[in-house]
């Protein structure tokens, strides 16, 4: 049997990290887009839409991401659709991410003082114009730090895709462990790679938040 | 092709589900208590302890907060035995969850205790309170009051995250779902019912923690 040097283990884990990054990006970008739509629905005048969004958020925040992944995998099969682990993971992470982001952003929009809306309507701006020129620019500034902070949760969330068979960093770690029987080493390196991905984002979120508080 | 959902096929397995439910609840309760204890000690040590200890705890908190729970669990279950510490699935799950919640709650409780004004602590000391009394009544109690909602959310996140302990064959709710669907092939129904069970648990946990919070740390 081949000898697995530290370098072989690390380089293989780093190769698999590409898929963790790709999945995180897809989940974050599409989750953000869906989250924005949900936010608009949540802020709309329609009671039915608002109720739908709060049920959606309750469901995706109140159930484990792992269950969501399983349900998506097997739910798609019920309709006779073959769904690849990559598709299932992307979709489930998109739903999950959108539920959290829409809730974070709602808090940001609601933290803009009511007077700003009233000022907007008193100069005859329409609802869309108030949103576009008055509320969102201010809400956006508040929203950046927690959004960056949540991206760390998304990266960590992608580890669960390994359970439904998508080969990313965690799955690669498990596979390499099965070949090398050096779990202590393999999972240490796996953990450190995740740390290298997440820690800069955590620091960025923290410093953005500090800057916002200093400015505000 | 239209598929008919068959929830009735789950009924023969109600005892498996019930056992999984009890396991998840017990695991959550025990590791929540241990985790919050670790967090309380950690927060105190980080605020009042020597610098090297504070630094060490800071590294622990950041390391845990920036890696996935799944990897932490695998490290404990597969990695530690290689280093000479044998663990059962349940022990590994408990240790991993405690370490995880311990890190988050250290950070959360510290945020509350650091906000304690110096003057209040001095006031406590000047009333001839012992160090422990000051810590308990002057620092920790108001800190918990402030951060209880954040702590409660984190406990729920850890409870939901515990579904991955099924991956090391700890027999929790998710394990029950896996077991049932491997027997009756009703995969979607099994996972759907178990997801609803988690949702119920999350709602219940939130309600219980809120009641507990207003009981233990009443707003003055």
């Amino acid at each position: 049997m081949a000898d697995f040097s530290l370098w072989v283990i690390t380089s293989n884990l780093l190769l698999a990290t590409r898929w963790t990054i790709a999945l995180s990006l897809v989940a974050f970008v599409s989750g953000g887009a869906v989250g924005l739509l949900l936010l608009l629905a949540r802020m709309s005048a329609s009671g039915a839409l608002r109720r739908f969004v709060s049920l959606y958020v309750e469901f995706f925040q109140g159930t484990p991401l792992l269950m969501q992944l399983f349900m998506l995998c097997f739910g798609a099969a019920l309709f006779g659709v073959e769904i690849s682990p990559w598709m299932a993971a992307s979709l489930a992470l998109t739903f999950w991410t959108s539920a959290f982001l829409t809730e974070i952003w709602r808090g940001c929009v609601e933290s803009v003082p009511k007077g700003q809306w009233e000022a907007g309507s008193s100069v005859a701006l329409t609802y869309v114009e108030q949103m576009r020129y008055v509320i969102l620019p201010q809400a956006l500034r508040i929203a950046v730090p927690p959004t960056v902070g949540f991206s760390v949760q998304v990266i960590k969330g992608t580890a669960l895709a390994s359970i439904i068979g998508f080969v990313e960093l965690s799955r690669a770690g498990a596979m390499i462990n099965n070949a090398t029987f050096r779990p202590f080493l393999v999972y240490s390196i796996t953990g450190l790679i995740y740390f290298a991905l997440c820690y800069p984002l955590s620091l960025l979120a923290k410093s953005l938040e500090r800057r916002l508080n200093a400015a505000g | 092709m239209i598929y008919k959902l068959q929830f009735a096929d789950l009924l023969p397995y109600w005892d498996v589900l019930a056992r999984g439910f009890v396991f998840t609840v017990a695991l959550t309760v025990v590791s929540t208590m241990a985790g919050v204890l670790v967090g309380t000690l950690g927060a105190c040590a980080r605020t009042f302890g020597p610098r090297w200890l504070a630094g060490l705890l800071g590294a622990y908190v950041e390391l845990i907060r920036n890696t996935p729970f799944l990897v932490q669990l695998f490290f404990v279950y597969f990695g530690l035995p290689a280093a000479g510490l044998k663990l059962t699935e349940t022990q590994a799950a408990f240790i991993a969850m405690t370490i995880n919640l311990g890190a988050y709650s250290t950070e959360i409780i510290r945020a509350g205790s650091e906000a304690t004004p110096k003057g209040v602590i001095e006031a406590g000391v000047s009333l001839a309170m012992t160090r422990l009394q000051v810590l308990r009544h002057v620092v920790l109690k108001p800190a918990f009051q402030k951060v209880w909602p954040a702590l409660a959310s984190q406990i729920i996140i850890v409870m939901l995250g515990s579904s991955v302990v099924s991956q090391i064959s700890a027999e929790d709710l998710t394990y029950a779902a896996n077991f049932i669907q491997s027997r009756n092939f009703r995969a979607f129904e099994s996972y759907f019912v178990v997801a609803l069970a988690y949702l119920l648990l999350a709602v219940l946990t939130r309600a219980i923690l809120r009641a507990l919070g207003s009981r233990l740390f009443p707003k003055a």
Side-chain angles (χ1 to χ4, degrees):
Chain A
M1 197 168 117
D3 197 26
F4 292 93
S5 69
L6 185 64
W7 168 243
V8 172
I9 292 175
T10 312
S11 60
N12 276 298
L13 286 174
L14 283 173
L15 281 175
T17 308
R18 290 176 306 174
W19 291 103
T20 290
I21 296 173
L23 186 57
S24 305
L25 281 175
V26 166
F28 195 68
V29 171
S30 51
V34 176
L36 200 60
L37 290 177
L38 288 170
L39 178 69
L40 294 177
R42 188 74 175 72
M43 308 298 291
S44 76
S46 153
L49 270 180
R50 285 201 307 262
R51 244 191 322 276
F52 166 74
V53 176
S54 58
L55 271 177
Y56 180 96
V57 169
E58 182 70 34
F59 181 78
F60 284 103
Q61 290 194 348
T63 57
L65 177 56
L66 184 57
M67 287 297 111
Q68 295 163 23
L69 279 164
F70 281 146
M71 275 192 286
L72 218 125
C73 269
F74 294 105
L78 295 189
F79 295 101
V81 183
E82 267 305 319
I83 189 165
S84 68
W86 159 258
M87 269 314 278
S90 313
L91 279 174
L93 278 159
T94 296
F95 291 140
W96 181 77
T97 306
S98 67
F100 278 88
L101 284 180
T102 202
E103 199 59 8
I104 292 172
W105 293 342
R106 183 174 71 100
C108 296
V109 170
E110 282 177 354
S111 73
V112 175
K114 253 218 160 81
Q116 296 288 324
W117 288 97
E118 289 162 2
S121 58
S122 73
V123 290
L125 296 181
T126 63
Y127 173 81
V128 175
E129 286 169 338
Q130 288 172 31
M131 225 17 172
R132 166 76 184 77
Y133 296 107
V134 183
I135 305 302
L136 284 187
Q138 301 183 62
L140 210 62
R141 232 169 48 97
I142 317 171
V144 171
T147 305
V148 173
F150 186 72
S151 68
V152 174
Q153 307 301 324
V154 176
I155 295 177
K156 292 193 292 177
T158 61
L160 295 192
S162 66
I163 297 173
I164 58 165
F166 179 64
V167 182
E168 39 63 80
L169 181 51
S170 298
R171 182 77 171 186
M175 286 158 70
I176 292 171
N177 175 41
N178 286 341
T180 61
F181 306 111
R182 294 169 76 182
F184 194 85
L185 179 72
V186 172
Y187 288 119
S188 299
I189 300 174
T190 307
L192 284 178
I193 295 175
Y194 274 111
F195 185 78
L197 290 176
C198 295
Y199 190 54
L201 287 169
S202 294
L203 285 181
L204 179 65
K206 209 182 256 180
S207 84
L208 284 169
E209 198 182 320
R210 210 172 294 139
R211 205 178 311 164
L212 185 71
N213 287 339
Chain B
M1 190 191 82
I2 298 298
Y3 178 85
K4 263 224 169 83
L5 292 174
Q6 312 262 358
F7 286 103
D9 286 354
L10 297 182
L11 283 177
Y13 298 97
W14 69 271
D15 56 325
V16 180
L17 275 175
R19 251 179 305 178
F21 190 85
V22 170
F23 184 91
T24 292
V25 170
L27 184 65
T28 304
V29 169
V30 176
S31 45
T32 293
M33 290 196 288
V36 173
L37 182 69
V38 169
T40 309
L41 296 175
C44 292
R46 248 188 117 174
T47 315
F48 304 107
R51 260 185 63 192
W52 63 268
L53 187 61
L56 205 66
L57 284 166
Y60 156 64
V61 168
E62 292 305 334
L63 205 59
I64 296 299
R65 293 207 314 163
N66 287 291
T67 51
F69 176 63
L70 183 67
V71 174
Q72 295 161 16
L73 182 71
F74 282 174
F75 183 82
V76 169
Y77 186 64
F78 297 114
L80 290 188
L85 184 63
K86 281 253 176 292
L87 296 166
T88 66
E89 303 84 60
T90 309
Q91 287 166 341
F94 164 70
I95 291 174
M97 280 176 73
T98 303
I99 290 175
N100 188 276
L101 183 62
Y104 280 95
S105 54
T106 297
E107 190 66 9
I108 291 170
I109 297 167
R110 188 179 69 113
S113 66
E114 267 188 354
T116 317
K118 250 210 163 94
V120 185
I121 297 176
E122 287 161 5
V125 175
S126 73
L127 285 173
M129 290 169 97
T130 64
R131 276 179 78 103
L132 213 61
Q133 282 173 323
V134 170
L135 199 61
R136 193 174 146 209
H137 297 285
V138 180
V139 178
L140 284 180
K141 209 171 162 198
F144 268 97
Q145 245 166 25
K146 243 173 285 172
V147 301
W148 190 254
L151 200 57
S153 314
Q154 192 59 44
I155 291 169
I156 292 170
I157 289 173
V158 167
M159 187 272 287
L160 295 176
S162 80
S163 69
V164 304
V165 303
S166 59
Q167 292 305 303
I168 58 167
S169 328
E171 300 183 358
D172 74 332
L173 251 179
T174 306
Y175 181 92
N178 289 335
F179 178 86
I180 295 169
Q181 71 98 12
S182 72
R183 294 299 163 97
N184 66 6
F185 305 109
R186 300 286 176 210
F188 184 79
E189 290 89 333
S190 305
Y191 291 122
F192 185 71
V193 166
V194 167
L196 288 185
Y198 276 109
L199 189 59
L200 177 77
L201 263 180
V203 171
L204 279 179
T205 310
R206 200 181 308 154
I208 291 171
L209 287 175
R210 188 173 300 159
L212 199 68
S214 55
R215 195 69 172 285
L216 289 175
F217 314 108
K219 290 262 186 300

